[in-house]
Amino acid sequence: MADPVIPSRSAGNDRPTGTFTVKRGLAEMLRGGVIMDVVDAEQAKVAEDAGAVAVMALERVPADIRRDGGVARMSDPALIEGIKAAVTVPVMAKARIGHFAEAQVLAALGVDYIDESEVLTPADEAHHIDKWVYEVPFVCGATNLGEALRRISEGAAMIRSKGEAGTGNIVEAVRHLRAILGDIRRVGQADSAELFGWAKDLAAPVGLVQEIATTGRLPVPLFCAGGIATPADASLVMQLGAEAVFVGSGIFKSGNPSQMARAIVEATAHFTDADLVAKVSTGLGAAMAGQEIGTIGVHLAERGW
Amino acid sequence: MTVGVLALQGDVREHGAVLAALGQAVRMVRNPDDLGGLAGLVLPGGESTTLSMLLESSGLFDPLDEAFRRGLPVFGTCAGMILLAGEVLGGRVDQRVFGAIDLTIRRNGYGRQVASFECDLEVDALGGDPVPAVFIRAPVVERAGADVEVLATLPPSSNGTRRGRPQPVICRQGNVLVASFHPELTDDRRLHELFVAMTEVERG
């Protein structure tokens, strides 16, 4: 995908930063890894010690947002600074959908990736952030291929399934991954004229639809988020085609966060090795308490447009 | 003969694709059983702390350490370079490295992601056009030992974003080749060609 014109690409700069290649490149380096939600420096250390490839700073883990309600916002900058100082792995942080001022603050804090996330309360009911104008890369959630391609057209350099965060229930993430990857396979079988129809039906740019028809994959990495609570959950979504996993409440709402985190790291790296997944799943203690999707009040995945 | 790619975490697929395009049989290496009969191994980009941990838990660290000592050709990019270095600054105290090349490396030495950059490198050993290089939270070579051949350096930037003396970005010592950037993210295959040539010398 071509870079749009951004300031760092201006003439005479022999060392451009913030290009789409370096934004997507960091996502590529995280493949096969686990990105863990953390609320403070102490949790960030636990995550890094367990082998996290990156940590995601947020105000409350999704299960607590779900329980306590209220407006969920970007983290306190002091907590983000504390997390940055505590670990050597990349630090991501969440901004509300459409809240470009929170994104500006996170960029000013020097986070490595911004998650424009449906887990926080949306700030704009019609528009996502124009992510091209930032040097820091963005990840966005998606429930289907059209949504993924719209986020990429806005500048997202990584896509993750939304799943249903804070439920400990993998069913929605599976639905979203199957929707995205299944439609990519179907687009790959379409003829050139049909691709225009696909673009219309997906409400996505035809250029991106043509690109995935040729390459058979999204132009950015596809990760899984929303409901991963066990090593077997991680193995499942990796086998379905996710390239890395985000784990939110599943670690710090489990009985033994360090051991659960480490087990999910191993299961993600060796996702096809059932013997290994069995071994790391043994004696882990309680996974987080889960919820049936039919019983939850707020469906976070419906946020975003 | 087959070239391996360490496939525990990171941009494994890109390295595999370049090697396959160069006509190599490629094997993904996830545990010690995958090591038999390899002509060489690539350590990809990724998160070096995670890779270091997974190398231990998979039981790969010690057999690889021994293989590198015996002279198995190895090519490390970014995190792979960190793992092959002798000394790592700015890492975790428990981070274990192979010490296969006499370099002192500073992790994330160019800064956080917003400082990640692209540039063109002049590499005499590869001849011809400049090599496009993508640096992502890249390590900096603080010191290269006397036995290390520096194949390319990054000059101070013309726009002042990086000052000081030129830093080595491609190094070789014996059968160990390292780059602090990601040739696998571009269409330029010359560094991989150089590595394949190293494995062919070894194959005789």
Side-chain angles (χ1 to χ4, degrees):
Chain A
M1 206 165 111
D3 272 352
V5 177
I6 55 173
S8 58
R9 272 291 200 193
S10 59
N13 184 354
D14 64 354
R15 211 113 350 134
T17 54
T19 63
F20 201 69
T21 298
V22 301
K23 289 176 170 180
R24 181 180 53 206
L26 179 55
E28 307 286 9
M29 297 313 140
L30 302 177
R31 292 202 329 249
V34 182
I35 300 148
M36 303 185 192
D37 277 3
V38 299
V39 299
D40 57 25
E42 192 185 335
Q43 288 189 353
K45 285 298 291 176
V46 171
E48 188 185 57
D49 287 347
V53 288
V55 295
M56 171 73 72
L58 75 175
E59 187 189 41
R60 292 171 280 168
V61 294
D64 289 338
I65 292 172
R66 202 172 272 294
R67 187 193 64 207
D68 299 340
V71 174
R73 310 180 178 91
M74 172 185 80
S75 282
D76 183 332
L79 286 169
I80 293 172
E81 291 290 3
I83 291 165
K84 277 173 56 197
V87 295
T88 65
V89 296
V91 175
M92 305 185 178
K94 286 186 192 289
R96 284 179 263 179
I97 289 173
H99 205 315
F100 54 84
E102 279 190 350
Q104 288 162 357
V105 170
L106 294 175
L109 291 171
V111 302
D112 296 295
Y113 241 94
I114 296 174
D115 185 0
E116 186 184 17
S117 177
E118 72 285 356
V119 169
L120 306 187
T121 309
D124 190 319
E125 291 184 323
H127 309 95
H128 284 252
I129 296 168
D130 174 2
K131 295 165 274 285
W132 291 114
V133 301
Y134 295 77
E135 294 223 338
V136 56
F138 280 74
V139 51
C140 288
T143 61
N144 57 51
L145 182 57
E147 205 175 358
L149 296 181
R150 288 194 293 280
R151 298 295 85 78
I152 294 166
S153 74
E154 295 157 1
M158 179 201 301
I159 293 295
R160 56 172 175 76
S161 66
K162 287 181 177 171
E164 196 54 46
T167 62
N169 190 335
I170 198 65
V171 66
E172 295 298 305
V174 168
R175 185 204 309 281
H176 301 159
L177 283 175
R178 282 200 181 276
I180 293 167
L181 293 163
D183 269 353
I184 289 173
R185 286 188 281 268
R186 284 183 275 277
V187 165
Q189 288 165 3
D191 73 18
S192 60
E194 289 168 340
L195 294 178
F196 295 96
W198 270 100
K200 187 190 81 175
D201 293 343
L202 292 170
V206 70
L208 286 176
V209 174
Q210 289 165 331
E211 185 177 340
I212 61 169
T214 305
T215 62
R217 62 174 74 246
L218 289 181
V220 303
L222 173 63
F223 292 4
C224 178
I228 293 167
T230 67
D233 285 347
S235 169
L236 171 70
V237 298
M238 292 293 287
Q239 290 187 64
L240 283 171
E243 297 180 284
V245 301
F246 285 83
V247 185
S249 319
I251 290 170
F252 290 100
K253 290 293 173 188
S254 72
N256 187 343
S258 286
Q259 205 184 340
M260 179 63 81
R262 188 61 207 267
I264 293 176
V265 167
E266 292 288 343
T268 304
H270 299 277
F271 64 91
T272 56
D273 185 343
D275 291 332
L276 185 141
V277 178
K279 190 173 141 214
V280 300
S281 302
T282 305
L284 274 184
M288 70 176 285
Q291 288 180 288
E292 279 278 0
I293 300 302
T295 66
I296 62 175
V298 179
H299 290 258
L300 300 174
E302 291 171 1
R303 297 168 165 177
W305 358 101
Chain B
M1 294 292 271
T2 302
V3 176
V5 181
L6 183 72
L8 295 171
Q9 193 271 313
D11 68 336
V12 176
R13 183 179 69 229
E14 287 80 353
H15 277 290
V18 180
L19 292 168
L22 293 176
Q24 302 298 300
V26 179
R27 186 192 302 154
M28 297 299 160
V29 172
R30 296 189 179 85
N31 63 58
D33 295 341
D34 300 327
L35 289 176
L38 288 182
L41 182 70
V42 171
L43 304 186
E47 220 19 72
S48 68
T49 52
T50 305
L51 282 167
S52 183
M53 236 172 263
L54 290 169
L55 279 165
E56 285 284 351
S57 60
S58 62
L60 273 168
F61 193 97
D62 290 326
L64 279 181
D65 193 43
E66 200 190 315
F68 298 151
R69 277 173 215 292
R70 283 202 319 267
L72 177 74
V74 57
F75 178 26
T77 62
C78 196
M81 177 198 215
I82 295 171
L83 292 168
L84 291 166
E87 186 185 9
V88 177
L89 309 173
R92 293 167 51 89
V93 288
D94 58 351
Q95 187 169 356
R96 203 171 158 200
V97 290
F98 290 111
I101 184 165
D102 186 15
L103 298 175
T104 301
I105 304 275
R106 182 172 296 282
R107 280 186 67 207
N108 308 331
Y110 296 101
R112 304 192 72 91
Q113 171 62 14
V114 287
S116 294
F117 62 94
E118 295 181 61
C119 70
D120 290 330
L121 294 172
E122 298 292 340
V123 188
D124 289 344
L126 299 180
D129 297 333
V131 173
V134 183
F135 290 81
I136 296 170
R137 287 172 49 97
V140 165
V141 174
E142 296 266 348
R143 184 197 61 83
D147 295 334
V148 173
E149 185 186 358
V150 175
L151 300 182
T153 57
L154 184 70
S157 175
S158 62
N159 62 5
T161 54
R162 213 189 60 73
R163 292 171 290 278
R165 61 202 159 80
Q167 274 145 347
V169 291
I170 307 174
C171 298
R172 180 177 175 178
Q173 182 178 354
N175 274 339
V176 182
L177 179 67
V178 295
S180 53
F181 58 96
H182 295 283
E184 73 279 10
L185 293 185
T186 70
D187 294 329
D188 193 307
R189 298 171 183 166
R190 285 176 289 172
L191 260 180
H192 286 83
E193 283 169 357
L194 174 63
F195 176 62
V196 168
M198 286 164 60
T199 69
E200 280 163 356
V201 168
E202 207 56 30
R203 294 178 227 192

